[in-house]
Each structure stands twice: as structure tokens, then as C-alpha cells.
């Protein structure tokens, strides 16, 4: 199975989200080989969930709180997400790490809460530019993965997205060689350290022009897509290319 995941971040109102889904459904992109997961803002989850009934398109949230309820003003719980038939949750995105100070220990708490409550995490990991320049990519990934996956149920269904911070929203994606090297390393690391095999996605300036060669890589099972997921034409082109593999 390959995945095309739309991370809309803080974009699209309820109406815009609804219109996008309407256009997407008209394109009739159903497939047994590839899956679309839409991750809109929290406020759009309900209307998309209503519209998605009976559809093969799945729903994800961009975040969730690590506690299941309580005095956490402004936060959203796993139960609230499940009520929307939201199956997936993006965790550890570099924007959450950078702007909301989500450290690895918080990402780990969220991973455990999400898994214990029958949701599926999409765990994001990746190095920043200076870490890559200093040849620290693999030590950063090792640290992020070890901490995020500590104590998790090994039978849990999840996805891991390799998202180099320097490629996110910059228009400069990682090269196929770089993605291949890292995806192979993550695959091997997870097998050796955790005895798990997890589908690995790539994220960071994915477009319909660059995704064709990336999806051919041995350990890449799809994409986490930001900017290109906001445009229906671009997003459906990416899906079609992924689905052809
Ligand atoms: P981008 O974002 O496609 O705009 O680079 C990817 C992401 O942040 O998940």
C-alpha cells in the first residue's frame, strides 16, 4: 500500500476544505493500491467526516494531546478525534517541535496515547540543515526514533515520515539518493532495534514533478504533502503518479 497524505497545516476554512473534498470525490481516484489521508484543521474534521462516509479516503488530525481529558485549555483529546472517525494523527512534525516546543518525550507520550486509544500515528522525523551539514543526520534520526518509539506496542499500525526540516516548505526537496539512503537506514534501524517493519514516507517539497522518481525507491511507500496538497490538481496528479507504481 502507498499513501498520499495531505497535511493542510493552518490552511483552508471549513468551506474550503469541503469544496476540496467535493472536487476530489469527483475525480474518482479510488484505488486498492494507494490510500489518500486528509489531515485538515481540527475545525474542519466534522464536516469532512460527514462527507467521507462510505468513501475510501481516510481522515487524520494534525495533532492531539497526550492526556485523554482534563484541564488543558485549547487542546483536543483522542476520544474527540475518534468521534469524527478520524483514524490517523500526525505526531512529531518539525513545526510542532520548533514552534510549540514539542520535545521527544512529549512525542513519545502522544505516540503511546494514540496507539493505546486505537488511533494510528504518522510519526515525523528529520534533521535540520546544520545537522545535515555536520553529518549528524543518522544520529538525529536514531535519537528521535528511539525516544518516540520507546515503550510502544510493537503490533500497532503506524507510518513514519522522513521529513528533512530543510526541505519542508522550501521548494527544495531532498534528492532521490538522499531519500533512498535515509529510508533504507530507517528500515534497517527499526528492524534491528524494535523488530518492526513500518511503511516509510517522504515529506518535504513533494510535487507532481518530483514524486515519480521518489515513489520508485525501494523503501518509500508514499508522501506526506504540505504545499502541493492545497491544490486539487496538483494533489490528484501526485496521487495518480503514486498509484501507477
Ligand atoms: P511541504 O510540507 O510539502 O510544503 O514541504 C510538508 C510537510 O510539512 O509535511
Amino acid at each position: 500500500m502507498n499513501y498520499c497524505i495531505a497535511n493542510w497545516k493552518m490552511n483552508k476554512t471549513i468551506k474550503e476544505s469541503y469544496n476540496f473534498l467535493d472536487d476530489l470525490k469527483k475525480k474518482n481516484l479510488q484505488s486498492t493500491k494507494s490510500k489518500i489521508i486528509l489531515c485538515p484543521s481540527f475545525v474542519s474534521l466534522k464536516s469532512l467526516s460527514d462527507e467521507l462516509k462510505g468513501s475510501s479516503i481516510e481522515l487524520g488530525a494534525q495533532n492531539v494531546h497526550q492526556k485523554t481529558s482534563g484541564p488543558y485549555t485549547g487542546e483536543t483529546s483522542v476520544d474527540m478525534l475518534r468521534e469524527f472517525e478520524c483514524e490517523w494523527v500526525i505526531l512529531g512534525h518539525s513545526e510542532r517541535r520548533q514552534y510549540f516546543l514539542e520535545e521527544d518525550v512529549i512525542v513519545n507520550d502522544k505516540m503511546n496515547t494514540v496507539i493505546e486509544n486505537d488511533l494510528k500515528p504518522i510519526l515525523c522525523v528529520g534533521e535540520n540543515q546544520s545537522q545535515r551539514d555536520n553529518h549528524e543526520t543518522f544520529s538525529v534520526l536514531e535519537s528521535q526514533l528511539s525516544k518516540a518509539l520507546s515503550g510502544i506496542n510493537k503490533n500497532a499500525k503506524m507510518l513514519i515520515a522522513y521529513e528533512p526540516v530543510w526541505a519542508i516548505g522550501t521548494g527544495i526537496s531532498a534528492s532521490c539518493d538522499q531519500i533512498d539512503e535515509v529510508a533504507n537506514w530507517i528500515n534497517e534501524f527499526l528492524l534491528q532495534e524494535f523488530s518492526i517493519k513500518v511503511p516509510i514516507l517522504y515529506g518535504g517539497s513533494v510535487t507532481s514533478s518530483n514524486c515519480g522518481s521518489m515513489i520508485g525507491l525501494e523503501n518509500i511507500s508514499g508522501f506526506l504533502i504540505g504545499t502541493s496538497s492545497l491544490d486539487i490538481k496538483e494533489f490528484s496528479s501526485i496521487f495518480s503518479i503514486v498509484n501507477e507504481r
Side-chain angles (χ1 to χ4, degrees):
M1 178 64 72
N2 284 324
Y3 298 84
C4 281
I5 307 182
N7 176 11
W8 286 346
K9 310 191 180 184
M10 199 173 70
N11 296 294
K12 294 197 188 293
T13 61
I14 297 176
K15 194 164 187 294
E16 288 163 347
S17 305
Y18 179 90
N19 289 343
F20 183 99
L21 179 55
D22 206 36
D23 290 342
L24 189 62
K25 282 163 96 179
K26 283 186 194 135
K27 291 194 178 277
N28 218 5
L29 296 173
Q30 252 84 327
S31 160
T32 50
K33 287 195 304 182
S34 319
K35 192 184 281 302
I36 293 177
I37 303 171
L38 298 180
C39 303
S41 74
F42 283 118
V43 294
S44 295
L45 281 171
K46 166 85 177 112
S47 50
L48 289 202
S49 150
D50 290 345
E51 273 317 292
L52 281 174
K53 285 200 172 38
S55 156
S56 59
I57 300 169
E58 296 181 3
L59 206 51
Q62 297 174 20
N63 183 30
V64 73
H65 197 266
Q66 59 270 38
K67 298 276 194 243
T68 48
S69 65
Y72 303 101
T73 302
E75 293 293 328
T76 306
S77 76
V78 280
D79 283 349
M80 295 169 190
L81 294 184
R82 277 214 318 265
E83 224 170 28
F84 294 142
E85 288 168 44
C86 173
E87 291 180 50
W88 300 88
V89 189
I90 298 174
L91 293 178
H93 192 282
S94 65
E95 286 153 14
R96 302 273 340 152
R97 293 178 193 259
Q98 187 181 346
Y99 304 128
F100 303 96
L101 310 182
E102 278 192 15
E103 296 168 358
D104 290 309
V105 58
I106 299 175
V107 177
N108 179 238
D109 282 347
K110 292 185 176 195
M111 286 289 292
N112 278 299
T113 302
V114 160
I115 290 168
E116 281 160 19
N117 287 278
D118 299 325
L119 292 166
K120 293 172 275 193
I122 302 161
L123 171 66
C124 303
V125 292
E127 80 288 359
N128 63 29
Q129 184 68 64
S130 72
Q131 290 163 336
R132 178 159 278 270
D133 293 345
N134 293 329
H135 307 286
E136 292 166 359
T137 300
F138 297 113
S139 58
V140 168
L141 293 173
E142 179 169 347
S143 165
Q144 289 177 340
L145 286 168
S146 306
K147 290 174 184 161
L149 299 176
S150 169
I152 61 148
N153 176 348
K154 290 186 177 171
N155 298 320
K157 179 147 194 208
M158 70 174 95
L159 301 173
I160 289 182
Y162 168 53
E163 295 213 310
V165 181
W166 47 271
I168 296 177
T170 59
I172 304 163
S173 70
S175 69
C176 278
D177 283 350
Q178 289 169 325
I179 298 169
D180 194 39
E181 185 184 30
V182 171
N184 294 342
W185 183 90
I186 293 176
N187 188 51
E188 201 52 38
F189 178 78
L190 296 178
L191 281 173
Q192 271 180 16
E193 298 297 318
F194 293 91
S195 309
I196 54 174
K197 173 108 182 128
V198 179
I200 300 164
L201 317 182
Y202 168 74
S205 299
V206 172
T207 65
S208 58
S209 317
N210 63 23
C211 70
S213 44
M214 295 173 186
I215 197 63
L217 300 173
E218 190 185 347
N219 281 309
I220 286 296
S221 304
F223 304 108
L224 181 53
I225 310 157
T227 313
S228 297
S229 73
L230 297 172
D231 180 68
I232 182 70
K233 241 180 104 193
E234 182 67 359
F235 184 67
S236 35
S237 301
I238 294 173
F239 180 83
S240 303
I241 293 166
V242 166
N243 197 39
E244 274 164 23
R245 300 304 297 211

